[in-house]
């Protein structure tokens, strides 16, 4: 009997942990812009953008597909993507980024690319700096890999 109770307790803890993780991700916005298009990240009044993931390139054949996209590389990503988007948008309430080689470089010549960004809107603190230790810890907890984006 006690083994069943222990298994039930473990199951409930696992379920609760999964629920917490999905609630955390619920407030993360994901935007995609095809090459040569603009992307607008927006958080509204008294909130600011916090970028967690950005990739410019092509990592699958379905996103922003064109007739010739299937003949192109699906394993390319600009190494600068995250840093460029973070520099342009973090701390702002609204940000416009062009998904283009002129902004991110050309990680795979001849391939039609796209920009994908994940971000959160954070509440602006009016006393002192916007970014505090809690924000830094949260950023580390929610970093995404390419596999998360497919």
């Amino acid at each position: 009997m006690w083994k069943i109770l222990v298994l039930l307790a473990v199951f409930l803890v696992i379920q609760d942990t999964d629920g917490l993780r999905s609630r955390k991700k619920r407030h993360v916005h994901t935007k995609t812009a095809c090459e040569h298009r603009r992307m607008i990240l927006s958080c509204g009044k008294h909130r600011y953008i916090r970028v967690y993931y950005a990739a410019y390139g092509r990592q699958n054949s379905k996103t922003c597909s064109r007739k010739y996209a299937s003949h192109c590389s699906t394993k390319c990503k600009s190494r600068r993507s995250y840093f460029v988007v973070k520099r342009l948008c973090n701390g702002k309430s609204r940000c416009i980024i062009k998904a283009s080689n002129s902004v991110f470089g050309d990680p795979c010549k001849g391939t039609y690319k796209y920009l994908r960004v994940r971000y959160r809107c954070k509440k602006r603190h009016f006393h002192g700096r916007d970014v505090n230790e809690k924000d830094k810890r949260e950023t580390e907890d929610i970093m995404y890999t390419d596999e998360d984006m497919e």
Side-chain angles (χ1 to χ4, degrees), residues 55-98:
Y56 176 73
R58 176 159 291 282
Q59 296 175 343
N60 67 58
S61 59
K62 294 180 182 173
T63 305
C64 295
S65 62
R66 287 192 167 179
K67 290 178 184 176
Y68 57 86
S70 61
H71 304 294
C72 299
S73 171
T74 58
K75 301 288 186 218
C76 72
K77 181 176 91 168
S78 170
R79 286 182 254 150
R80 302 173 11 188
S81 308
Y82 172 72
F83 301 105
V84 169
V85 176
K86 181 179 165 186
R87 181 178 49 82
L88 292 172
C89 299
N90 268 6
K92 297 179 180 178
S93 57
R94 187 170 190 265
C95 177
I96 300 173
I97 312 158
K98 187 173 182 185

Side-chain angles (χ1 to χ4, degrees), residues 2-61:
W2 66 272
K3 290 180 182 179
I4 294 172
L5 290 174
V6 169
L7 286 173
L8 181 62
V10 169
F11 176 76
L12 291 174
V13 168
I14 291 171
Q15 289 295 95
D16 187 43
T17 303
D18 289 343
L20 177 63
R21 185 162 178 82
S22 67
R23 281 193 300 270
K24 254 186 174 180
K25 284 187 177 183
R26 195 177 312 153
H27 299 289
V28 176
H29 305 279
T30 301
K31 294 241 178 164
T32 303
C34 300
E35 189 173 2
H36 307 296
R37 301 283 186 181
R38 292 184 312 155
M39 173 185 289
I40 300 172
L41 308 182
S42 182
C43 286
K45 194 174 183 181
H46 304 301
R47 299 182 78 72
Y48 66 94
I49 297 166
R50 186 73 160 155
V51 176
Y52 293 101
Y53 174 90
Y56 176 73
R58 176 159 291 282
Q59 296 175 343
N60 67 58
S61 59

